Amino acid sequence: MEDQLSPNQVLATLSKHDGPILTAQAFPSISFVKVKSALDSLKSREMIIHSPVEREEVILTGEGEGVAEEGSHEAKVFEAVRAAVDGLKIDDLPKMVGNESANVGKGKALKAKWIKMDQGKFRTSTDSITDITRDQLATIRKSRSYPDPKVVTDLKKRKLVTTQRVISFKVDKGPNFSTEMVKEETDLTADMLATGAWKTAKLKPYNFKAMGAPAMSGALHPLNKVRHEFRQIFFEMGFEEMPTNKYVETGFWNFDALFIPQQHPARDQQDTFFISDPPVADLPRADPPAASSQTLPNGSPSSTPADKTATSSTSTPKDPKERPLDYDAYFKAISTVHSTGSHNSIGYRAPFSVAESQRLVLRTHTTAISTYMLYHLAANPRPARYFSIDRVFRNETVDATHLAEFHQVEGVIADHDLTLGGLIGFMEVFFAKMGIHKLRFKPAYNPYTEPSLEIFGFHPGLNKWVEIGNSGMFRPEMLEPMGLPREMRVYGWGLSLERPTMIKYGVKNIRELLGHKVDLAFVEGNPAVRLEKD
Ligand code: PHE
């Protein structure tokens, strides 16, 4: 069966007809899609005009196909009777033509007077017959239609044909009709200009409706985009970025230095991922001189508390105003403030375990880094603003809004005589820059801040208050062992990067944003910029 149709075939067929043609009749075996594509290419050149026509198509059933091939049941009966030498015994008919043809065919052959019954035998009543049914089905098979609707109704009743509604096209010659489709030029070439071919060339018109080719480009993950926004806000507010390039911390920097009691439930297996190999690090000490190329804002080299190559517990400052950092003394001061209390605090009055301090953990918050930075700041106390945006780990049950690892946005401000009012005022400015204008503060508890405030923002889209952050003024028990002067106050706050990203990008499940379930199409397909700020 032919199943291709070239535009030139359509033109040839059309030129043989005076009037319009119907594709279903002219090309009955070509699929709709192929017909349409041939017509479309001719239509764009205005060589034809066409319009869709809905019509009823008649097609043969399986049984109908059989009749068209082998003849009708009644014709088979007639042939069998004619072939018998002296009539055909009624009971022998099924043997000759099969049960179905015998049952259906004998009545019809009798009614048409092709055969008659004579003493228990069938005999022919005529010499020759015309198998009309077969002829009708042959016609239908070719043209999928039949001129006399009564015949179609009758054949349908006999289940030899069925009908279905199909779209075909009425096609007529267009203003540019010709029998040959000229290839249209898509480019005006130097050659065409040189030979003069451009004068007669048919140029293909521009298709301004064509879709552009998809651009192969990289895409930033939404978390990266929102991170970028936060970084811009921090930089324009005078913050310096903290070096957060390590995931593993000691219990000392993650908990102890923050005055988090060693018996605190957050240190349980429940919330913290402990490292098993190696399980512990050395006590805090200064970095070896060439340990890191990264320079901290206050000029001292960044330290890796777990770095076993470090040998000294003091560091020599470059700035003459700076006092040397004495890690041994700091560690002792922290152990004292926990166990017996100091700096006007009664402490936790529980033994302080050095082993607990040395345990290695995946950092549960970036406040470990802030603490480390503040300790370095204490060597030369002065107003400072630090921020970081990086990954933290918590041993939590994963659900639509919680992951065991996520990103924390953290800021700390150190200055003389800071107040709680100042913290609230700062939060209002900071979050307004993210498009969050209505804030509420709720008293909360952190072991390392007092007072502590949970921050809620009103989300107009969700029409409710959502928790957006945690904040507070760092406790003297944390700041004074570092050597920061008493009138130097520090406040800090932290929030997840995921929460605002989910709100801004309409992501309902955090697992679609981070982790192995992230769909690359989502990353590639989301807008490069968001024009709204809310
Ligand atoms: N560390 C806190 C948290 O993980 C955030 C915070 C930082 C709170 C600094 C107060 C001060 O939620």
Side-chain angles (χ1 to χ4, degrees), residues 1 20 48 52 70 114 116 341 381 436 448 457 495 497:
M1 216 185 359
I48 59 154
E70 295 161 20
W114 290 350
K116 59 185 179 215
I436 301 167
Y448 42 94
L495 58 139
L497 181 62

Side-chain angles (χ1 to χ4, degrees), residues 365 367 394 408 410 446 448-449 470-472 474 492-494:
H365 53 188
T367 319
R394 292 191 192 167
Q408 200 162 49
E410 167 139 345
N446 293 313
Y448 42 94
T449 52
N470 177 16
S471 68
F474 287 116
W493 70 100

Side-chain angles (χ1 to χ4, degrees), residues 95-156:
K95 272 187 270 169
M96 307 300 291
V97 297
N99 279 335
E100 197 189 2
S101 290
N103 288 342
V104 182
K106 71 184 173 201
K108 290 211 182 295
L110 285 167
K111 202 171 155 202
K113 297 205 162 57
W114 290 350
I115 58 168
K116 59 185 179 215
M117 282 221 273
D118 179 24
Q119 296 166 358
K121 282 182 172 176
F122 288 125
R123 290 181 194 282
T124 51
S125 310
T126 172
D127 292 337
S128 67
I129 54 150
T130 328
D131 190 352
I132 309 162
T133 310
R134 181 188 200 167
D135 293 349
Q136 287 167 339
L137 289 172
T139 306
I140 290 170
R141 181 146 76 167
K142 247 198 255 139
S143 67
R144 299 193 175 204
S145 63
Y146 199 79
D148 183 353
K150 268 194 247 138
V151 170
V152 175
T153 314
D154 185 49
L155 291 174
K156 237 170 126 173

Side-chain angles (χ1 to χ4, degrees), residues 121-266:
K121 282 182 172 176
F122 288 125
R123 290 181 194 282
T124 51
S125 310
T126 172
D127 292 337
S128 67
I129 54 150
T130 328
D131 190 352
I132 309 162
T133 310
R134 181 188 200 167
D135 293 349
Q136 287 167 339
L137 289 172
T139 306
I140 290 170
R141 181 146 76 167
K142 247 198 255 139
S143 67
R144 299 193 175 204
S145 63
Y146 199 79
D148 183 353
K150 268 194 247 138
V151 170
V152 175
T153 314
D154 185 49
L155 291 174
K156 237 170 126 173
K157 257 189 234 151
R158 291 172 66 186
K159 298 208 163 58
L160 296 175
V161 300
T162 56
T163 54
Q164 63 185 27
R165 302 202 68 79
V166 291
I167 307 277
S168 72
F169 296 95
K170 196 176 118 191
V171 185
D172 213 341
K173 295 168 183 148
N176 297 338
F177 179 81
S178 84
T179 48
E180 195 81 14
M181 191 171 80
V182 188
K183 195 180 158 289
E184 291 179 318
E185 301 294 343
T186 50
D187 276 318
L188 187 62
T189 61
D191 230 28
M192 287 162 76
L193 293 174
T195 60
W198 63 272
K199 287 183 208 158
T200 51
K202 257 185 103 44
L203 289 167
K204 188 173 182 170
Y206 280 109
N207 178 6
F208 292 106
K209 287 181 187 155
M211 298 282 277
M216 293 300 287
S217 61
L220 288 176
H221 192 286
L223 281 173
N224 261 325
K225 293 187 224 180
V226 176
R227 176 172 174 266
H228 176 80
E229 283 181 54
F230 272 115
R231 290 183 85 229
Q232 290 315 110
I233 292 171
F234 277 117
F235 285 134
E236 75 189 37
M237 296 183 87
F239 282 77
E240 294 170 81
E241 194 162 20
M242 295 188 267
T244 48
N245 51 347
K246 56 185 167 200
Y247 291 160
V248 177
E249 279 291 354
T250 52
F252 179 80
W253 288 109
N254 197 79
F255 300 120
D256 299 333
L258 280 105
F259 199 54
I260 298 175
Q262 291 196 321
Q263 299 77 20
H264 195 273

Side-chain angles (χ1 to χ4, degrees), residues 221 511-513 515-526:
H221 192 286
R511 284 169 282 195
E512 287 163 23
L513 195 61
H516 64 286
K517 284 189 180 162
V518 174
D519 180 358
L520 284 184
F522 159 73
V523 176
E524 276 162 13
N526 67 49

